[in-house]
Amino acid sequence: MLRINISFLQYIESLANSKEYADRIILQTYKPKDFLLHQGDPVTKIIVINQGITKCFITEENGKEYIPEFLGTGEIMGEIEVMGKKNCLASVEAISEVTAYVIPVSVFNELLKTNITFANALLEVEALRVYHTSQKASFQQLYTVEHALEKLLELQEKQELKLTKEDIASYLGITTRTLNRALKKISEEEL
């Protein structure tokens, strides 16, 4: 539910600290509610989270939001759009204070073309993303809303996250009304 990738972050940190990229891969800070990326905008930078938590969400034509993932340490964003030459698929908003490495598109493309280690690390990241997306889809199909909600509430407590009911419902792909019914059912089962 909260994606992290420590090994990829360590690799990006090593690039950012190298002589060649020290002045081109910059560490930037975002406050809660700041947007790192906006749905529909051209992507001008690739972002790798150093610390903090973000929500990645898609706003549909009817105004409803869907949260495919909460992204944490070591997660990358913007790379799929750059490689596919597309505008931003989703918005990404900081939930907590976030520090992140910002990589200009030109540097990202240079690394892809000239650095096989970077290309392989990115390929591994994308393979993990497909794996986790498939895992989440099967979980949502096979388990009840209450079970998924219990897991999300455990994560929220463990990570000390403050998620709104709207965010929880958007992540689970349900309405807030359905969420309230599920919360009531869980609390009745605990009694």
Side-chain angles (χ1 to χ4, degrees):
M1 291 182 186
L2 173 64
R3 298 288 168 231
I4 62 170
N5 192 329
I6 302 300
S7 61
F8 189 68
L9 174 62
Q10 290 170 340
Y11 179 68
I12 295 301
E13 285 176 330
S14 71
L15 284 175
N17 292 325
S18 71
K19 287 181 183 177
E20 188 174 358
Y21 295 104
D23 61 342
R24 300 196 293 162
I25 298 176
I26 306 299
L27 194 60
Q28 188 168 339
T29 302
Y30 300 88
K31 296 178 196 147
K33 302 280 185 198
D34 282 353
F35 279 81
L36 287 74
L37 296 173
H38 290 275
Q39 181 177 335
D41 286 357
V43 177
T44 59
K45 59 191 173 193
I46 310 305
I47 300 171
V48 179
I49 299 172
N50 178 52
Q51 200 170 13
I53 299 172
T54 65
K55 71 173 181 177
C56 172
F57 64 97
I58 298 168
T59 305
E60 295 297 336
E61 290 176 11
N62 64 5
K64 294 189 181 196
E65 290 181 1
Y66 173 65
I67 300 174
E69 296 294 345
F70 294 100
L71 304 173
T73 302
E75 286 297 309
I76 186 171
M77 56 196 84
E79 81 291 356
I80 294 288
E81 292 87 345
V82 169
M83 290 187 296
K85 297 176 177 55
K86 303 282 183 194
N87 285 345
C88 221
L89 172 66
S91 292
V92 179
E93 179 183 345
I95 293 177
S96 66
E97 183 170 295
V98 171
T99 56
Y101 289 99
V102 175
I103 305 169
V105 170
S106 60
V107 172
F108 177 80
N109 285 331
E110 174 188 322
L111 283 164
L112 265 182
K113 291 175 184 168
T114 63
N115 187 323
I116 192 72
T117 305
F118 177 80
N120 285 333
L122 190 60
L123 187 59
E124 188 176 310
V125 165
E126 300 311 330
L128 278 172
R129 187 168 285 163
V130 170
Y131 176 84
H132 290 305
T133 299
S134 298
Q135 195 176 39
K136 179 185 176 192
S138 67
F139 181 86
Q140 287 183 324
Q141 291 293 315
L142 297 174
Y143 292 97
T144 64
V145 168
E146 290 81 16
H147 182 73
L149 177 58
E150 286 173 335
K151 294 291 185 192
L152 185 57
L153 293 174
E154 286 171 18
L155 172 71
Q156 181 177 349
E157 185 176 325
K158 183 179 175 183
Q159 296 290 327
E160 298 177 8
L161 293 173
K162 291 186 170 110
L163 301 176
T164 66
K165 280 188 175 183
E166 291 78 13
D167 283 349
I168 294 170
S170 293
Y171 179 77
L172 295 172
I174 60 176
T175 64
T176 51
R177 186 174 177 186
T178 301
L179 173 63
N180 286 330
R181 284 195 298 261
L183 285 167
K184 184 178 178 187
K185 186 173 180 181
I186 289 170
S187 67
E188 288 171 355
E189 289 174 0
E190 290 175 354
L191 297 176

